[in-house]
């Protein structure tokens, strides 16, 4: 298959490039409309109890679960004339708006019934309501409402709640993706110029990366036609497309230049590049795609959307690298080394010209000498490296996961975040932290509801319980059923009770409060909605499938690496080293983002937990990326091993050193480039995108520097010929269905033998 693709690129390079250009233009046109089709949320399973309760409340009890919170602050207080006039104006406007329902205003309820809507210092009061829109339209509708919201003189009006927060997160996510790519491209170009010297060679990976981004937008648009896609998929998939496009192109271009410098003809260089580096790229892409595919087992569309789109993006990056890029190389030929910026710079500083890679024997490179040093001290290197990785990963043992709230976005760019901070700090009851208790189909009258509300109000941490039978505080009735706050809480769909609290729903106290509410006997079927209940359902939804996802990834990688190498030992070693590098990166993320170290420098608010879906996403992506570099390194080591005679432990060590010598500079440059792209996500104003970008960048760098350069050579030296062991039966299976080709003589060996013949 790869040979046919290579010959197509060699024989019809212009046709391939024109076809690719037309495909990119079509993708660009198709991808333009994708920004309006993303959905918010996707963290809670649709069949979870909190999701079912929310659907009942949203359909039959308008306003009970508000997603729009307007805060009005006046210097002379919420009961002063300026605040009363402004509150009346805003309340009237909201009540007449066709997209807003269930308006509850402090100035309508009055100081007694609306006490929970007034701040402790008396300067701020709230208007709560429900925006009638689904997850797709909610950001757009919220944006229009916020823009049109009256802002009378004499008061400060701030618009918050879940609806406006979705709009701000949407806008910030798109802006961050654009800024991240704008930063990544020029910095990546500088690194590529340092690696290649030639501007032509350096530009090729960036062009492939740009093609991947445009194609990704089209893929996102197609996926939205049959599945829900999270707005956060935009950042991850565009940056993943850019990173993998650059990564794979770097290996292809490097191998092509190596083959040319070894004296091969143009067509033969392209063919052998695709059959060696191209084969490795294909296999690497399959490993990344399988790692992302594991996300499908989770019952939340936030993760599922990354699986659908991520797999497609990886396949596009692979196809571009093994077909479109070879066609460009076939046309460029030796001109791939044109515009070498090192020539004028060295002339300016009167430096000697550099040696071409083909002129330097692998055994004379710094990479080879480094591996020799490592393998001579394999035991202490392995022990120290493993101990260091375990030390870095130790904080992950105390990790805590939770549901995201408005604190994930910086207060400097989010009015909704500012409202959220007001609710947490200045109000006796946080309107966004309330738990809604739903009694579906209940028609038992006020007596059982009153008794149930009384019991709920006694739970520690509950400030009040508002029900159709009245308002209850600490086991006593504080307001009658006829009070405005109790209206609309009972109808033919059942009854609801609103449990007010100032307790952080994601804290340990929030969990205890939810457990206490569940322990109170209910007068019928009971469902709980609200932040605390959603948090519990999210954690349950992730905990159950997580072992299955991890097991599927491990099994898939083990089988694929066996088919790739013919060994049972190397796949097991790769899984163990992956676990160590992932553990180190995740431990660092707990130390930074959960415990809050460097929060001032990075500009985020530590909440004491990690957004639950993000570590799962990071695990699958990072697992695939780590295996990516394992594949690139093993591929070259295996090439050297196959031509070594495979007879002695020394031959194994020499193959390891040669493999690292020929690929070390390339895969560390690839890791640096991928880290640069991922750090583009790390400058986001959304904290869990920051964590994802910086965490993945750290994983890639730790894996490339410490694992591939130190631990992998040390372990392969200790294992010796046992690296390549498999039972006789499995060796026969590998010979029949394995992914290995015939032994391909590396360009370095070919050049050396050619010199000997001359």
């Amino acid at each position: 298959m790869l040979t046919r693709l290579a010959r197509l690129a060699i024989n019809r390079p212009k046709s391939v490039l024109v076809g690719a250009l037309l495909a990119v233009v079509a993708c660009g046109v198709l991808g333009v409309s994708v920004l309006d089709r993303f959905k918010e949320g996707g963290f809670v399973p649709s069949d979870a109890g909190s999701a079912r309760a929310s659907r009942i409340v949203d359909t039959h009890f308008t306003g009970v679960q508000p997603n729009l919170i307007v805060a009005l602050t006046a210097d002379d207080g919420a009961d002063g004339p300026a605040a009363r006039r402004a509150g009346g104006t805003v309340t009237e406007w909201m009540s007449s708006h066709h997209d807003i329902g269930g308006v509850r205003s402090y100035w309508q309820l009055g100081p007694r019934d609306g006490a929970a809507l007034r701040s402790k210092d008396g300067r701020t009061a709230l208007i709560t309501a429900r925006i009638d829109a689904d997850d797709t339209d909610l950001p757009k509708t919220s944006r229009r409402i916020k823009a049109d919201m009256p802002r009378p003189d004499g008061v400060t009006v701030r618009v918050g709640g879940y609806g406006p927060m979705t709009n701000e997160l949407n806008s910030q996510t798109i802006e961050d993706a654009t800024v991240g790519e704008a930063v990544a491209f020029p910095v990546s170009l500088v690194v590529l110029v340092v690696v290649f010297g030639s501007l032509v060679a350096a530009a090729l990976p960036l062009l492939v990366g740009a093609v991947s981004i445009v194609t990704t937008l089209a893929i996102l648009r197609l996926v939205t036609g049959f599945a829900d896609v999270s707005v956060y998929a935009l950042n991850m998939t565009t940056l993943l497309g850019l990173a993998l496009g650059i990564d794979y192109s770097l290996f292809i271009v490097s191998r092509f230049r190596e083959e040319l410098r070894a004296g091969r003809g143009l067509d033969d260089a392209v063919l052998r590049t695709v059959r060696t580096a191209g084969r490795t790229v294909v296999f690497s892409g399959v490993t990344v795609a399988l790692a992302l595919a594991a996300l499908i087992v989770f019952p939340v569309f936030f993760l599922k959307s990354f699986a659908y789109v991520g797999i497609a993006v990886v396949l596009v990056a692979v196809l571009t690298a093994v077909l479109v890029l070879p066609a460009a190389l076939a046309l460029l030929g030796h001109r791939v080394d044109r515009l070498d910026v090192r020539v004028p710079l060295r002339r300016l500083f009167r430096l000697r010209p550099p040696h071409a890679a083909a002129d330097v024997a692998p055994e004379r490179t710094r990479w080879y000498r480094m591996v020799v040093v490592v393998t001579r001290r394999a035991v202490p290197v392995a022990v120290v490296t493993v101990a260091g990785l375990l030390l870095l990963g130790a904080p992950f043992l105390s990790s805590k996961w939770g549901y995201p709230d408005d604190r994930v976005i910086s207060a400097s760019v989010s009015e909704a975040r500012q409202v959220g901070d007001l609710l947490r700090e200045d109000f006796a009851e946080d309107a966004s932290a309330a738990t809604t208790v739903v009694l579906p189909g209940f028609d038992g009258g006020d007596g059982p509801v009153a008794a149930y509300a009384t019991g709920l109000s006694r739970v520690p941490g509950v400030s009040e319980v508002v029900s159709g039978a009245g308002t209850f505080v600490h086991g006593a009735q504080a307001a009658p059923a006829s009070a405005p706050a109790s209206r609309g809480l009972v109808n033919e769909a059942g009854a609801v009770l609103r449990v007010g609290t100032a307790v952080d729903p994601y804290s340990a106290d929030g969990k205890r409060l939810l457990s206490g509410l569940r322990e109170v006997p209910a007068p019928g079927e009971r469902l709980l909605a609200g932040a605390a209940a959603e948090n519990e359902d999210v954690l349950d939804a992730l905990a159950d499938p997580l072992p299955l996802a991890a097991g599927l990834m491990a099994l898939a990688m083990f089988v694929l690496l066996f088919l790739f190498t013919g060994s049972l030992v190397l796949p097991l070693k790769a899984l163990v080293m992956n676990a160590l590098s992932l553990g180190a990166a995740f431990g660092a993320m707990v130390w930074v983002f959960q415990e809050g170290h460097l929060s001032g420098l990075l500009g985020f608010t530590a909440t004491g937990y990690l957004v639950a879906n993000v570590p799962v996403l990071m695990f699958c992506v990072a697992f695939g990326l780590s295996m990516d570099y394992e594949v690139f390194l093993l591929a070259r080591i295996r090439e050297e091993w196959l031509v070594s005679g495979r007879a002695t432990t020394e031959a194994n060590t020499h193959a390891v050193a040669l493999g690292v010598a020929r690929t070390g500079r390339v895969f560390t440059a690839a890791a640096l480039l991928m880290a640069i792209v991922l750090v583009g996500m790390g400058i986001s104003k959304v904290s869990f995108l920051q964590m994802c970008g910086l965490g993945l960048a750290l994983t890639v760098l730790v894996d490339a520097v410490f694992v591939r350069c130190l631990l992998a050579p040390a372990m392969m030296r200790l294992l010796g010929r046992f690296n390549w062991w498999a039972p006789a039966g499995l060796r026969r299976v590998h010979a029949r269905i394995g992914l290995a080709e015939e032994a391909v003589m590396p360009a370095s060996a070919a050049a050396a033998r050619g010199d000997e013949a001359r």
Side-chain angles (χ1 to χ4, degrees), residues 170-240:
N170 232 344
S171 301
Q172 194 62 46
T173 298
I174 294 169
E175 180 182 334
D176 290 342
T178 304
V179 171
E181 291 156 12
V183 171
F185 265 95
V187 178
S188 297
L189 178 61
V190 172
V191 175
L192 286 166
V193 169
V194 171
V195 173
F196 288 130
S198 162
L199 284 174
V200 174
L204 289 174
L206 288 178
L207 287 175
V208 172
V211 168
S212 299
I213 289 176
V214 175
T215 308
T216 296
L217 294 177
I219 292 170
L220 284 166
R221 174 63 181 84
L222 291 174
V223 175
T224 59
F226 64 85
D228 294 333
V229 176
S230 169
V231 62
Y232 309 110
L234 177 67
N235 289 66
M236 175 59 73
T237 51
T238 55
L239 289 177
L240 188 62

Side-chain angles (χ1 to χ4, degrees), residues 236-514:
M236 175 59 73
T237 51
T238 55
L239 289 177
L240 188 62
L242 176 61
L244 291 177
I246 293 176
D247 205 33
Y248 295 158
S249 301
L250 181 63
F251 279 91
I252 294 290
V253 174
S254 297
R255 187 58 184 256
F256 175 72
R257 297 171 86 218
E258 181 184 333
E259 297 292 345
L260 285 181
R261 289 172 177 173
R264 302 197 187 280
L266 176 59
D267 291 355
D268 191 29
V270 173
L271 180 61
R272 294 181 73 83
T273 295
V274 175
R275 289 178 59 192
T276 54
R279 169 178 169 268
T280 305
V281 163
V282 170
F283 188 83
S284 172
V286 171
T287 62
V288 176
L290 285 175
L292 291 171
L295 294 169
I296 293 175
V297 305
F298 294 95
V300 290
F301 80 75
F302 174 86
L303 294 176
K304 285 180 179 290
S305 60
F306 284 101
Y308 302 141
V309 181
I311 292 170
V313 168
V314 171
L315 296 180
V316 167
V318 169
L319 181 62
T320 305
V322 299
L323 177 59
V324 180
L325 184 56
L329 294 174
L331 282 179
L332 286 170
H334 289 276
R335 288 173 295 181
V336 74
D337 288 326
R338 293 282 295 274
L339 302 179
D340 192 334
V341 298
R342 294 172 299 182
V343 174
L345 289 176
R346 287 181 175 275
R347 188 180 299 130
L348 176 65
F349 293 104
R350 298 180 180 180
L351 299 175
R352 288 181 299 177
H355 290 290
D359 297 334
V360 180
E363 292 84 354
R364 294 176 55 195
T365 63
R366 288 189 295 269
W367 290 99
Y368 187 92
R369 292 195 294 269
M370 179 199 71
V371 176
V372 169
V373 171
V374 168
T375 53
R376 285 176 179 171
R377 299 166 177 80
V379 172
V381 168
V383 170
V384 170
T385 306
V386 170
L389 294 173
L390 290 175
L391 182 64
L392 279 174
F396 189 66
L397 297 175
S398 60
S399 65
K400 299 180 179 67
W401 298 3
Y403 190 80
D405 63 9
D406 56 88
R407 287 172 290 181
V408 301
I409 187 169
S410 172
S412 64
V413 297
S414 171
E415 198 171 286
R417 164 64 188 277
Q418 296 168 19
V419 172
D421 287 341
L422 271 175
L423 296 176
R424 282 182 289 271
E425 297 167 7
D426 297 338
F427 283 76
E429 180 180 306
D430 183 350
S432 64
T435 295
T436 303
V437 182
V438 182
L439 304 176
F442 178 79
D443 59 357
D446 288 349
V449 171
Y452 184 42
T454 300
L456 293 174
S457 70
R458 292 194 179 105
V459 174
V462 173
S463 57
E464 67 174 8
V465 177
V466 181
S467 70
T471 300
F472 296 82
V473 177
H474 303 312
Q477 187 167 4
S482 59
S486 297
R487 294 171 189 166
L489 298 182
V490 178
N491 58 36
E492 66 280 358
V496 297
L497 301 91
R498 188 169 54 246
V499 180
T501 182
V503 174
D504 182 348
Y506 311 111
S507 65
D509 289 339
K511 293 179 182 178
R512 284 190 289 270
L513 173 62
L514 189 66

